[in-house]
Amino acid sequence: MKVQPIIAFSVLIMLIGLFGIVYSQMPSRYEAIDQDDAAALSVASTKSVHASQEEKMKLEAEKHENYRRLRNWAEYFIDENIYGGSYIDENGNFVFLLTEPLTLAQEEIMRNMASYPLEIKLVDFSLKQLEETAKVLHEMMNELSLEWVMLNVKRNRVEVLIQEDHYEDSKAEIYKRVDADQVDVKIGKMIVEHPRPVLLNLNALND
């Protein structure tokens, strides 16, 4: 009998099986590369997000600085009896309110200064007029039981909130003292929500 070849063949089969088990438990070279790539991609993605956020914040800061300089110029060089205020609208446009059109030179200066879309709107009242009306109404708040007085630049009006019980009498008195067209009077009540108390576990603090 040829025993030795049979034994040698059996040993070879065992070695092949053992090698297969060991190899199956080893991490794949390609799997390791994929994991490294995924980690690198994750880091790159995080850096990209931070970079985009920083860039966005930088652009917003530049935009508000441009708006601030433009507003300062308008408040200084435009007649206060014409200037109605300004704001940035929901589309990011600079909006300037005027009771009369600017001169061609003034408008050209503003448009050259603006790095973003600029819109000029004609309104009924100047900011000076509305501020004077708001001041008078603030002084009347306790006397007429006014709940709220606010100058709304966008709407070019002074908004007033009055409780229903005092509405008719207070509104009539308001119209006697200020220009009714400048005021938007509504029925309402201010509700102030006080912060809830924070409960502390004193026993835990003393531990």
Side-chain angles (χ1 to χ4, degrees), residues 63-145:
K63 184 172 190 175
H64 282 277
E65 176 60 21
N66 183 231
Y67 169 71
R68 186 189 65 80
R69 286 190 281 108
L70 196 59
R71 184 188 61 199
N72 288 347
W73 183 92
E75 291 175 351
Y76 189 82
F77 288 102
I78 297 176
D79 188 331
E80 64 179 2
N81 296 310
I82 295 175
Y83 181 63
S86 64
Y87 59 93
I88 300 177
D89 70 12
E90 61 277 6
N91 297 316
N93 301 326
F94 296 166
V95 182
F96 281 77
L97 309 177
L98 307 166
T99 59
E100 297 178 15
L102 295 174
T103 65
L104 293 177
Q106 286 177 321
E107 184 167 345
E108 184 177 1
I109 290 172
M110 289 190 70
R111 294 197 181 281
N112 287 334
M113 287 181 64
S115 301
Y116 299 85
L118 171 65
E119 186 177 356
I120 297 176
K121 290 183 176 181
L122 293 181
V123 292
D124 299 321
F125 307 105
S126 69
L127 185 61
K128 179 185 176 182
Q129 288 176 293
L130 296 176
E131 286 176 340
E132 291 173 350
T133 296
K135 181 180 178 181
V136 171
L137 293 174
H138 273 292
E139 293 171 351
M140 296 165 55
M141 287 191 71
N142 291 333
E143 177 189 348
L144 301 182
S145 301

Side-chain angles (χ1 to χ4, degrees), residues 124-183:
D124 299 321
F125 307 105
S126 69
L127 185 61
K128 179 185 176 182
Q129 288 176 293
L130 296 176
E131 286 176 340
E132 291 173 350
T133 296
K135 181 180 178 181
V136 171
L137 293 174
H138 273 292
E139 293 171 351
M140 296 165 55
M141 287 191 71
N142 291 333
E143 177 189 348
L144 301 182
S145 301
L146 306 183
E147 289 284 310
W148 171 267
V149 175
M150 186 187 76
L151 196 165
N152 189 323
V153 173
K154 289 185 179 182
R155 298 190 61 239
N156 195 233
R157 293 292 185 276
V158 177
E159 297 178 343
V160 181
L161 204 61
I162 307 174
Q163 290 188 35
E164 187 172 5
D165 294 344
H166 304 279
Y167 180 73
E168 293 299 336
D169 292 339
S170 296
K171 183 176 72 169
E173 191 61 33
I174 286 173
Y175 288 168
K176 290 179 183 178
R177 303 193 195 184
V178 299
D179 183 353
D181 292 335
Q182 295 183 29
V183 184

